[in-house]
Amino acid sequence: MSETLLTLVRHGETEWNAVGRIQGHLDIPLSDIGLAQAAAIGRRLGGEAFDAILSSDLERALQTTRPIIRHSEQTIVRDVRLRERHLGVLQGLTGEEAAMHQPQAWQAFKARNPQAALEGGETLGEFSQRVVGLIEELLRTHAGSRLLLVTHGGVLDAVYRHATGMPLNAQRNFLIYNASVNVLRHRGGVWSIESWGDVSHLPQELAMDDT
């Protein structure tokens, strides 16, 4: 019975993360803190053997991935399906700005209705299908492998819900940290979460709140 191990890493902090500005598909680079977090992840995971390393094609994820492969011969497989959810008219706004200038879209986003339209972006259901489709494909094409996926908070949310059976419309009761390491195991059709929200590799001054 094959066993597939997925290590998922959320990208390091950006300046927009720090102020609560919605990024979505906007290509925002890491801040100085985020670069230091990425270096810490590189020290944590750089010596581990992965059969494949995949990353979102957005720069904040790629900047987080590069220190991991710095001293290896592995290459980064860029996959657009690992991008954050496209949040349409909300992208570039803070929560306060979104509530003021895009109240309908903001309410749809906060309600977590999988079918609710988000102008210019993906519904929550569409986004989840994109992420889960990639995960199920990897289980078929890389069965029995150890995979590293460097991605975004929304993707981590979708994968956690898929693995645990948590509904998309349920309020989140688990943590999603920048620069966190999250490990899931798939064996015999059954998921198990080996660890979640692990930031033990970060010095205290680099461990940020759940945002």
Side-chain angles (χ1 to χ4, degrees), residues 21-147:
R21 193 168 296 280
I22 298 167
Q23 297 174 116
H25 279 202
L26 298 182
D27 206 2
I28 310 302
L30 297 183
S31 64
D32 288 344
I33 287 177
L35 290 170
Q37 291 173 332
I41 291 173
R43 292 189 291 271
R44 162 88 181 260
L45 297 178
E48 294 197 22
F50 294 103
D51 296 298
I53 296 176
L54 292 82
S55 172
S56 159
D57 66 328
L58 296 179
E59 186 63 17
R60 56 190 182 272
L62 291 169
Q63 285 180 300
T64 304
T65 311
R66 289 176 186 128
I68 300 171
I69 67 165
R70 183 160 293 154
H71 302 295
S72 74
E73 297 181 356
Q74 285 189 280
T75 58
I76 302 170
V77 178
R78 304 183 187 197
D79 198 310
V80 298
R81 291 171 292 179
L82 285 172
R83 280 190 179 193
E84 183 59 277
R85 179 183 173 189
H86 195 307
L87 292 166
V89 294
L90 299 179
Q91 295 185 166
L93 304 178
T94 65
E96 289 184 357
E97 291 168 348
M100 179 179 299
H101 301 297
Q102 297 289 344
Q104 186 173 354
W106 181 242
Q107 290 169 12
F109 172 70
K110 297 295 284 184
R112 296 195 61 87
N113 180 341
Q115 282 75 49
L118 186 59
E119 183 182 349
E122 297 172 283
T123 68
L124 183 58
E126 290 168 342
F127 170 63
S128 177
Q129 289 172 8
R130 161 163 64 90
V131 173
V132 171
L134 170 61
I135 297 301
E136 292 300 316
E137 177 184 303
L138 291 174
L139 291 179
R140 294 191 302 271
T141 59
H142 291 75
S145 299
R146 298 182 77 249
L147 306 177

